[in-house]
Amino acid sequence: MQLPLKLERRSNQTLQSQLFEQIRGLILSGKLKPGTPMPATRSLSEQLGVSRNTVLLAYDRLIAEDYLQTQEAVGTYVNSHLPMDSLVLKAPTQPLVLPEKPQARRHPVLFRGRAQKVANSQRNRLAMDFRVGRLDPHSFPVKTWRRLILRHLSAGGSNLTEYRDPAGILALREAIANHLGPARGIAVTPEQVIVVSGSQQALNIVARLLVGQGTRVVTECPCYQGAAYVFESYGAQLHPVPVDKYGLQVSKLPPTPVSLAYVTPSHQYPMGSTLSLKRRVQLLDWAGQVGAYLIEDDYDSDFRHNGSPLTALAGLDPYGCVIYMGTVSKSIGAGLRLGYVVVPGELVEPAKTVKALLDSGNPWLDQAVLADLISSGSYAKHLRQIRRMYLRRRDCLIAALKSHFGEVTLSGLEGGMHVVWHLPPNFPTAAEIQAIAQEVGVGIYTLESGGAYDYGYKEYSERTLVLGYSSLPELQIREGIARVATALTNTLGHSKQYHPDSPNAGQSKGRPSPKSKVLSN
Ligand SMILES: Cc1ncc(COP(=O)(O)O)c(C=O)c1O
């Protein structure tokens, strides 16, 4: 580590005391944090071009005044027990006096945009979190990942020190191409596959290629915030098309030219419907007619609970217009930040160039491990295991909701990792229920706080909750829903209002009785 120190040889202050003051300043300003190892005296003396003795004396004084600590065989480091709060406050706060110089107005920040909140700030306050799309930490294949990491690390050689193809290592691109054939019915070459840091980066790459100020982009309504916000940040003119229980309402697509449409056909985000085969074909024909590219975000298609998965749009595409996105965020873990995008031939080179401009490629080690995991069959085995687990958890959640709230109206059950609960008219709004649940340590979410964008169409958001079941063991699912039911009853003071057996159900506040059912879409 090289510290930002600058000694002034012509100063009246000795070099040693300048060094002392500057290191102390770095500690007090929080730039050197407690516990940070200090550079060895020899290397610091070389960096500064002063004698080692000067550094030794400065360190001695810092140690004597408790700013630094030294430990045999470990070295010298910033005292881990410094009372930083009070010290920083006590540090001289002399304002920096700069000579007055004429200064031109700085360039404005050109970027305009907003981002979806991926990290859940409430997480530690919640005993049971039904956050959508989250994995059970225990499901991460730690043993296999560790074994593969160690194997590739020891044989990594120059792979660890050199740059590689920004589009991703060939072994992984081949493994993904081979996986997509049987799993999703898509025939692709490894050259078309670009490894990315999650779907979010894929969206940025595509937007950089195709979206500029005023570009018309169709999205589902409601849709995934992460996608809408990316297009918006590139200046897109967004065109929402509503979804129903069969997915995107293809008949409502605009007949005029559109550059791009973003869809989630396997399990519409957030409403959970599966786009029917008929609509898939119609959507492709529409794209062919208006000259649009289609982004197929297949984020959680690995989890199909009823029947077989429908072939992906990319596997049915006669126009070569589908850009297919996949991620391991839902199958292994979002912390890995790994995904891929499969692009039509003419986009391969431009997409690779954008990827290179963004980050020169993903870390080699993670790619090598994932390639091995997929091609060895461990990935398929892992998917089978968690699919079974999610199915049990989904069923447990449905049963818990029914046992506390009667014949609830649910959708999105056929696949994925969350269910959508359509609230009956006699229930409080989704936001009210979310707040009541949070008070008792349970996270259940409105569409917006669950990461969806409704374009202001409140009929979706006010009476719909999304509940992810993938990260919670069955015991916690049952306990969480029981707590919400009790809290609703207590808070609203109508103990019988929400119970299915209640003769009052649906009668309070003048609201009509709910006609509850489970929608199978
Ligand atoms: C619709 C949709 N697409 C993609 C993702 C995954 O994004 P990433 O791969 O960037 O983690 C999510 C995650 O919540 C999602 O809901």
Side-chain angles (χ1 to χ4, degrees):
M1 175 179 60
Q2 287 211 318
L3 296 179
L5 301 167
K6 198 162 186 295
L7 302 185
E8 199 47 71
R9 278 162 210 285
R10 272 175 288 171
S11 154
N12 295 336
Q13 215 182 358
T14 65
L15 293 174
Q16 176 213 322
S17 100
Q18 287 183 50
L19 193 51
F20 168 82
E21 289 295 352
Q22 290 189 23
I23 294 178
R24 182 172 165 274
L26 290 174
I27 296 173
L28 290 176
S29 62
K31 288 178 188 133
L32 270 177
K33 301 261 180 303
T36 308
M38 294 297 290
T41 48
R42 191 184 303 280
S43 73
L44 188 55
S45 69
E46 278 165 13
Q47 178 196 325
L48 298 172
V50 297
S51 79
R52 191 168 164 220
N53 213 29
T54 304
V55 180
L56 274 170
L57 289 170
Y59 271 26
D60 279 350
R61 197 170 151 205
L62 287 158
I63 292 167
E65 295 194 19
D66 273 348
Y67 290 104
L68 298 183
Q69 281 181 319
T70 185
Q71 203 180 326
E72 214 173 322
V74 176
T76 306
Y77 52 92
V78 181
N79 185 351
S80 330
H81 304 293
L82 276 180
M84 282 313 287
D85 292 348
S86 39
L87 270 177
V88 172
L89 284 179
K90 277 190 230 138
T93 51
Q94 277 176 8
L96 206 56
V97 186
L98 290 174
E100 284 234 341
K101 284 189 184 174
Q103 197 185 354
R105 182 187 280 269
R106 279 207 202 94
H107 194 69
V109 175
L110 296 181
F111 174 76
R112 291 268 173 282
R114 50 185 168 167
Q116 74 284 17
K117 291 193 184 71
V118 277
N120 186 0
S121 56
Q122 298 293 324
R123 202 172 184 289
N124 293 336
R125 287 187 45 215
L126 299 171
M128 290 111 203
D129 192 4
F130 290 87
R131 183 113 174 152
V132 177
R134 295 305 191 261
L135 278 82
D136 187 333
H138 298 110
S139 70
F140 189 91
V142 175
K143 268 194 198 154
T144 319
W145 200 267
R146 185 195 296 125
R147 179 172 50 76
L148 295 175
I149 282 265
L150 290 177
R151 183 201 297 165
H152 287 284
L153 194 58
S154 35
S158 65
N159 288 311
L160 292 159
T161 50
E162 293 293 330
Y163 290 101
R164 292 287 156 212
D165 187 341
I169 64 169
L170 190 58
L172 179 55
R173 296 163 75 197
E174 278 173 350
I176 291 168
N178 293 340
H179 169 76
L180 288 176
R184 306 295 299 120
I186 311 173
V188 291
T189 62
E191 288 68 40
Q192 288 174 267
V193 179
I194 295 168
V195 178
V196 290
S197 306
S199 317
Q200 203 56 37
Q201 189 177 56
L203 287 163
N204 273 283
I205 292 175
V206 177
R208 182 104 189 245
L209 292 181
L210 302 174
V211 183
Q213 201 59 41
T215 304
R216 274 158 62 82
V217 176
V218 160
T219 77
E220 298 158 326
C221 181
C223 70
Y224 177 46
Q225 281 172 4
Y229 293 175
V230 165
F231 303 135
E232 190 185 76
S233 75
Y234 283 85
Q237 187 193 327
L238 293 178
H239 189 111
V241 173
V243 298
D244 63 15
K245 63 178 180 170
Y246 304 107
L248 182 80
Q249 296 190 43
V250 181
S251 60
K252 299 198 172 154
L253 283 163
T256 43
V258 160
S259 306
L260 186 63
Y262 165 83
V263 288
T264 48
S266 292
H267 192 231
Q268 201 276 328
Y269 195 81
M271 303 307 278
S273 45
T274 302
L275 193 67
S276 64
L277 184 59
K278 188 172 161 209
R279 287 195 185 179
R280 283 173 196 240
V281 173
Q282 288 170 340
L283 175 60
L284 286 163
D285 286 342
W286 168 83
Q289 275 157 25
V290 301
Y293 280 104
L294 293 177
I295 299 183
E296 177 174 27
D297 180 355
D298 218 18
Y299 66 109
D300 68 358
S301 65
D302 292 314
F303 312 113
R304 187 80 198 159
H305 306 311
N306 299 101
S308 313
L310 286 180
T311 304
L313 277 183
L316 302 167
D317 176 14
Y319 305 103
C321 65
V322 177
I323 300 166
Y324 177 89
M325 284 176 16
T327 178
V328 303
S329 289
K330 309 295 163 193
S331 54
I332 312 180
L336 293 176
R337 306 310 305 132
L338 268 175
Y340 51 89
V341 55
V342 181
V343 295
E346 74 277 12
L347 295 185
V348 169
E349 284 312 316
K352 279 172 68 168
T353 307
V354 173
K355 173 67 180 166
L357 285 174
L358 284 173
D359 59 14
S360 305
N362 278 60
W364 174 83
L365 190 55
D366 293 341
Q367 293 190 64
V369 170
L370 182 60
D372 220 343
L373 196 80
I374 299 175
S375 49
S376 66
S378 299
Y379 182 63
K381 188 171 153 215
H382 169 75
L383 284 180
R384 279 195 298 278
Q385 279 168 354
I386 54 175
R387 197 181 293 131
R388 278 197 294 271
M389 182 169 84
Y390 292 170
L391 178 58
R392 284 197 303 273
R393 291 180 178 186
R394 180 204 70 165
D395 290 346
C396 173
L397 175 59
I398 297 172
L401 286 168
K402 280 184 173 180
S403 94
H404 291 283
F405 300 104
E407 276 306 309
V408 283
T409 303
L410 304 174
S411 63
L413 308 178
E414 293 185 356
M417 305 154 84
H418 74 276
V419 302
V420 182
W421 183 12
H422 306 269
L423 297 169
N426 64 320
F427 271 43
T429 63
E432 283 165 345
I433 298 185
Q434 173 179 294
I436 292 167
Q438 254 185 30
E439 285 299 310
V440 291
V442 181
I444 54 178
Y445 297 90
T446 63
L447 291 189
E448 201 206 339
S449 55
Y453 183 46
D454 68 3
Y455 287 89
Y457 290 103
K458 294 295 168 214
E459 68 264 29
Y460 290 114
S461 33
E462 278 179 0
R463 313 234 37 95
T464 312
L465 283 166
V466 279
L467 289 89
Y469 46 79
S470 43
S471 69
L472 291 174
E474 285 147 69
L475 198 67
Q476 290 202 18
I477 291 178
R478 280 192 284 272
E479 164 72 11
I481 298 304
R483 278 199 199 185
V484 175
T486 312
L488 264 173
T489 306
N490 292 343
T491 312
L492 297 155
H494 298 287
S495 56
K496 293 188 175 162
Q497 182 181 348
Y498 305 106
H499 198 278
D501 301 330
S502 162
N504 299 331
Q507 303 301 311
S508 64
K509 295 189 185 171
R511 290 163 172 154
S513 173
K515 212 173 165 206
S516 305
K517 59 187 180 218
V518 175
L519 293 177
S520 71
N521 44 33

